[in-house]
Amino acid sequence: MGGVPSTPRKTGGDDVSVAEYLIATFVGEKSFPLASDFWNKLLELPLSSRWPSDRVQQACELFAQSNGYTRHLAKLLIHLSWCLQELLQASDDQSSLYKKAVNATYISSVFLKYLIENGKSDSLQELHLSLDESEPVPHGFVMDQDIQNFVMHSVLSFIGSNEVSPNSYVLHQELLNFMLVTMSTQLLSGPSHGPTDANPFIDAAMTQEKSLVSLVVRRLLLNYISRHRTPPNAKSYMYSDGDSQGILERVGSAAASLVLLPLNYLVSNSGGSKNPLAECSLHVLLILINYHKSIMSDESMTDKSDDSATSESVSKVHVFSSDNTFSKALANARDVEFDRSDVEGNAHPAGPHVRIPFASLFDTLGMFLADEGAVLLLYSLLQGNSDFKEYVLVRTDLDTLLMPILETLYNASKRTSSNQIYMMLIVLLILSQDSSFNSSIHKMILPSVPWYKEHLLHQTSLGSLMVIILIRTVQHNLSKLRDVYLQTTCLATLANMAPHAHHLSAYASQRLVSLFYMLSRKYNKLSDLTGDKLQSIKINLSGEDVGVSEDLAAELQIFTDFLRLVLDILNAILTYALPRNPEIVYAIMHRQEVFQPFKNHPRFHELVENIYTVLDFFNSRMDSQRSDREWSVQKVLQFIINNCRSWRGEGMKMFTQLHFSYEQESHPEEFFIPYVWQLAFSRCGFGFNPDAINLFPVPHPVEVST
């Protein structure tokens, strides 16, 4: 059923000519049938074969020209599927079969990636994912099946069903790289995804049965938790030796960069990841769970409002997102150690469930939360998986998750991306929605916080540290980023925490009052500017002045809301937790003059009245006890502590307790899909032709003339 080229004889261990000949034949114009022995020879190439990088470019260009006739990509993908199916069925050692599967995966990735990033049509016709009707096929192969579905089923079946071992490590790694390549069709689409976007492989993944999807999600999470090291026997294939390069070298040029894992990325001493399989598993999972396919439905309606008139058909087009089975599988993951339905009798939705060790996942996330991918996974679990969220909230060592988040936010001005800041603040907001969380973080005492440099934090509660860092983030944002969403998220989290504050530290209390003062100064400045500008408009009647005044008025409204929210936070502490927080009373008494200008303000006076009710209570008692001796800080604080016992809250106006909840945007994929792909680039060594990327803006290097 088709001939096979005679290959050059191996002499002196020279595999280069054999490799070049077989690859050249693969990319050439001669078409080899599926059953040809040529495929075995191609896939049995030694994994250590070498091939110069300039030949990769040439081979890819030739392949793009011939694939439409030969359909060699489709045939190679079929052989890849067969290899994986054989491995799943094999019981004995199948090292030769593993080698064939690795070669099939790797070579498929190289040429598939080139076709994707250099495609000219929106529908990716250049892939030619079908066989010619005249193609002779082996017995048992269904001719009209979707090849992308066939190969994705095999790839996902192997990933989900096969344990990672020293023998299978390389194949697992290459299959994950292959997944990245197949899903990279997303990079060709714009940030707003539409029904015409072509993503044949990831669409095929979404149609797999739920039981298989659950196995894959479980395996990807276990890979991330286990963090397998690259076994020694894989290094000869995956690492470069000096100047010698691996076959179909993963070069970095736009046309021939071979995604997968660049060899230098895998070498620990070069600064790359020591756990490439864990990194790649995480990013493949993030891409899968955030995928949304837009589907367009066309509903025709007949207008019969006028019986005498001819009925007209009116077409209504609806665009909606299809279900994401991977996202649902993650949302339904359960702890292997605890099944809630056994205890409460509340069974989860019917269907297969991912069973993973929540304790190991919690600890792994805590160790790597400085990495943006880990934060995204934590967010996805807290947002979508109620079991995992409940598990986190009952842990007594919440500092495992909170400390790396707070430290990263502390260093935000140095190196942290704005997206990472957003996601960490959202995680804190989600957690602060739970009252038990807000209570428990104030009971956990930290002996020291060595990375906080501005003030010595000794025996500070985790809750006080969280207040300090959130206020610091607000202040940094006011001076640098000026992002309203970031500001609101910080203050909303503080508002959720406020009624549950317990022994807030002196420093945290001072920072909270200082935040009010800083916002009040900005508010007063804007108020004065707005008043001056309105007076100017009355005189000049300038259209430009009107626009400037509207901007000032809008900014003033924003700061009015911020200032009121801080007053709400102070009020919540004083109303619901004053006896437990003498330091906040001291901080307010120490800076009581900052509240005076707002005593009669129409937006703030009711909230400020409560603050003055507290001030009057303690000031009057202090006046009655005055003597010739001076009041030291310690004496004033002890006085406040003593009088807190007699505080009954008389005269305080009760306001509705604020409670903020996080709600995901209506089209979250427009933020998350570009974000996770940018992370995949930075962490998985994934390269792609920048001129072909439409998903997000790609900065081009600027040539500097000398």
Side-chain angles (χ1 to χ4, degrees):
M1 294 191 63
V4 60
S6 58
T7 55
R9 189 173 299 171
K10 298 181 184 178
T11 57
D14 179 18
D15 295 326
V16 175
S17 58
V18 176
E20 288 202 8
Y21 181 79
L22 288 172
I23 297 293
T25 305
F26 172 70
V27 303
E29 296 180 354
K30 181 175 176 58
S31 175
F32 290 91
L34 271 172
S36 170
D37 192 46
F38 163 74
W39 299 103
N40 283 327
K41 291 183 178 295
L42 176 68
L43 300 182
E44 287 173 353
L45 284 171
L47 297 182
S48 58
S49 296
R50 307 299 181 195
W51 212 35
S53 60
D54 61 322
R55 298 284 303 203
V56 177
Q57 170 75 9
Q58 182 184 3
C60 288
E61 292 174 350
L62 291 172
F63 185 76
Q65 297 171 17
S66 63
N67 183 52
Y69 167 71
T70 64
R71 304 299 171 98
H72 277 180
L73 176 62
K75 295 171 188 177
L76 182 60
L77 293 176
I78 292 171
H79 275 277
L80 167 60
S81 300
W82 287 341
C83 287
L84 296 175
Q85 290 172 4
E86 285 186 64
L87 279 172
L88 287 174
Q89 296 168 3
S91 55
D92 302 326
D93 177 52
Q94 295 289 335
S95 57
S96 61
L97 197 53
Y98 267 111
K99 183 176 75 172
K100 287 178 64 177
V102 169
N103 274 334
T105 307
Y106 182 50
I107 297 172
S108 297
S109 298
V110 170
F111 293 102
L112 177 59
K113 177 177 176 292
Y114 179 86
L115 293 178
I116 290 173
E117 65 184 351
N118 292 279
K120 299 296 187 292
S121 66
D122 294 336
S123 58
L124 295 173
Q125 294 176 352
E126 295 86 355
L127 302 183
H128 297 290
L129 297 174
S130 62
L131 299 178
D132 190 270
E133 292 181 357
S134 61
E135 173 75 28
V137 293
H139 176 71
F141 182 78
V142 180
M143 185 66 178
D144 60 351
Q145 67 179 311
D146 290 333
I147 291 176
Q148 59 267 32
N149 187 72
F150 184 59
V151 70
M152 289 306 287
H153 179 79
S154 300
V155 168
L156 294 174
S157 295
F158 183 88
I159 291 174
S161 305
N162 198 278
E163 296 287 337
V164 178
S165 67
N167 291 330
S168 67
Y169 180 95
V170 171
L171 181 53
H172 271 280
Q173 182 68 69
E174 291 297 347
L175 287 173
L176 291 174
N177 294 331
F178 176 80
M179 288 288 294
L180 283 175
V181 171
T182 62
M183 296 188 294
S184 68
T185 52
Q186 286 187 288
L187 297 170
L188 308 179
S189 306
S192 297
H193 308 282
T196 59
D197 293 343
N199 298 293
F201 291 96
I202 194 168
D203 284 341
M206 293 296 152
T207 63
Q208 302 303 314
E209 58 269 23
K210 293 179 181 178
S211 57
L212 175 56
V213 169
S214 294
L215 286 174
V216 172
V217 171
R218 175 180 176 273
R219 172 57 50 203
L220 295 176
L221 287 170
L222 290 178
N223 287 350
Y224 180 67
I225 293 169
S226 303
R227 314 196 75 76
H228 305 278
R229 296 281 183 139
T230 307
N233 64 347
K235 293 181 180 179
S236 61
Y237 168 65
M238 304 183 81
Y239 292 178
S240 61
D241 300 318
D243 295 331
S244 60
Q245 306 294 339
I247 183 172
L248 300 181
E249 167 60 7
R250 301 159 164 84
V251 296
S253 68
S257 65
L258 309 184
V259 316
L260 317 186
L261 286 156
L263 303 181
N264 60 357
Y265 179 73
L266 287 170
V267 182
S268 299
N269 59 15
S270 68
S273 170
K274 296 181 181 180
N275 306 105
L277 189 70
E279 295 279 3
C280 210
S281 296
L282 172 61
H283 289 93
V284 167
L285 177 62
L286 290 174
I287 292 169
L288 285 169
I289 64 174
N290 285 292
Y291 179 69
H292 286 262
K293 179 178 176 59
S294 297
I295 298 176
M296 186 178 295
S297 66
D298 190 350
E299 297 181 0
S300 295
M301 300 176 60
T302 303
D303 184 3
K304 298 182 179 180
S305 57
D306 187 350
D307 294 336
S308 62
T310 304
S311 298
E312 294 184 2
S313 179
V314 180
S315 179
K316 280 193 174 182
V317 176
H318 299 279
V319 178
F320 59 95
S321 295
S322 61
D323 288 338
N324 184 315
T325 53
F326 289 86
S327 178
K328 287 186 174 181
L330 184 68
N332 289 329
R334 295 186 193 176
D335 189 2
V336 292
E337 302 296 334
F338 179 71
D339 190 338
R340 192 175 67 183
S341 64
D342 293 341
V343 177
E344 299 180 3
N346 299 321
H348 285 254
H353 295 287
V354 178
R355 303 285 300 227
I356 53 173
F358 279 4
S360 299
L361 181 56
F362 180 93
D363 292 339
T364 303
L365 287 169
M367 287 188 289
F368 296 98
L369 274 179
D371 173 58
E372 295 182 71
V375 179
L376 279 177
L377 178 58
L378 176 59
Y379 163 81
S380 300
L381 288 164
L382 293 176
Q383 170 65 11
N385 189 309
S386 58
D387 275 21
F388 186 78
K389 182 179 177 181
E390 288 178 18
Y391 174 83
V392 169
L393 292 172
V394 299
R395 288 280 297 227
T396 57
D397 57 343
L398 283 168
D399 55 317
T400 301
L401 292 184
L402 291 185
M403 288 302 282
I405 291 177
L406 297 177
E407 183 177 2
T408 304
L409 290 174
Y410 173 79
N411 293 311
S413 60
K414 298 177 182 178
R415 60 182 180 271
T416 312
S417 73
S418 58
N419 285 343
Q420 186 176 7
I421 297 173
Y422 289 144
M423 296 313 304
M424 287 184 164
L425 291 175
I426 290 171
V427 165
L428 296 181
L429 176 59
I430 291 173
L431 292 173
S432 74
Q433 292 169 194
D434 184 81
S435 58
S436 65
F437 167 85
N438 294 321
S439 298
S440 61
I441 58 175
H442 288 285
K443 298 173 184 176
M444 182 173 293
I445 304 301
L446 307 169
S448 64
V449 186
W451 45 261
Y452 195 92
K453 305 301 182 183
E454 285 81 358
H455 189 85
L456 179 63
L457 299 179
H458 180 67
Q459 295 296 316
T460 299
S461 71
L462 183 58
S464 291
L465 178 63
M466 189 165 160
V467 169
I468 292 166
I469 296 299
L470 286 171
I471 291 172
R472 191 177 188 276
T473 305
V474 170
Q475 292 171 329
H476 169 67
N477 181 57
L478 283 173
S479 61
K480 302 289 185 182
L481 304 177
R482 299 183 180 180
D483 188 303
V484 174
Y485 179 78
L486 185 151
Q487 200 85 330
T488 304
T489 305
C490 287
L491 295 177
T493 305
L494 287 169
N496 285 346
M497 296 169 61
H500 310 278
H502 189 88
H503 289 298
L504 205 61
S505 71
Y507 186 61
S509 301
Q510 293 164 17
R511 302 311 299 156
L512 193 52
V513 175
S514 294
L515 175 61
F516 174 83
Y517 178 59
M518 185 179 65
L519 288 171
S520 68
R521 290 181 61 188
K522 182 68 174 177
Y523 170 85
N524 289 331
K525 183 178 179 181
L526 284 169
S527 183
D528 292 342
L529 284 173
T530 304
D532 293 343
K533 188 57 65 177
L534 286 172
Q535 188 64 30
S536 174
I537 292 171
K538 292 178 181 178
I539 298 172
N540 298 324
L541 297 176
S542 166
E544 181 179 344
D545 283 341
V546 172
V548 173
S549 179
E550 289 177 349
D551 292 341
L552 283 173
E555 191 172 2
L556 178 62
Q557 181 59 50
I558 290 171
F559 274 87
T560 302
D561 294 338
F562 287 162
L563 203 54
R564 183 174 176 87
L565 193 47
V566 174
L567 284 172
D568 275 315
I569 292 167
L570 290 170
N571 259 268
I573 298 174
L574 297 177
T575 304
Y576 300 101
L578 186 148
R580 303 192 304 268
N581 293 281
E583 292 286 3
I584 197 73
V585 176
Y586 179 89
I588 290 173
M589 291 181 69
H590 183 66
R591 301 286 302 276
Q592 55 189 288
E593 74 280 355
V594 303
F595 301 99
Q596 181 63 39
F598 301 95
K599 204 169 183 181
N600 298 314
H601 194 289
R603 283 292 307 273
F604 309 130
H605 73 92
E606 288 186 321
L607 292 166
V608 175
E609 275 183 18
N610 271 357
I611 292 175
Y612 271 92
T613 298
V614 173
L615 287 171
D616 292 343
F617 176 86
F618 287 94
N619 283 334
S620 63
R621 279 159 179 74
M622 182 174 284
D623 290 340
S624 66
Q625 294 187 20
R626 276 192 176 161
S627 62
D628 293 336
R629 58 187 179 133
E630 294 185 359
W631 284 87
S632 65
V633 173
Q634 288 302 322
K635 288 178 180 177
V636 173
L637 186 59
Q638 188 58 52
F639 166 81
I640 293 171
I641 293 172
N642 293 337
N643 281 273
C644 277
R645 297 166 187 164
S646 58
W647 168 259
R648 298 292 179 267
E650 295 175 0
M652 296 285 282
K653 292 183 179 179
M654 300 297 292
F655 296 96
T656 303
Q657 187 172 315
L658 295 181
H659 185 80
F660 292 89
S661 299
Y662 169 73
E663 291 186 8
Q664 197 173 64
E665 298 288 342
S666 56
H667 294 284
E669 69 278 5
E670 294 181 4
F671 169 79
F672 286 106
I673 292 178
Y675 187 21
V676 296
W677 272 108
Q678 291 178 70
L679 293 182
F681 284 163
S682 64
R683 301 296 297 177
C684 291
F686 186 91
F688 203 83
N689 178 5
D691 293 330
I693 296 176
N694 297 312
L695 185 62
F696 49 81
V698 180
H700 288 270
V702 178
E703 294 185 5
V704 180
S705 58
T706 57

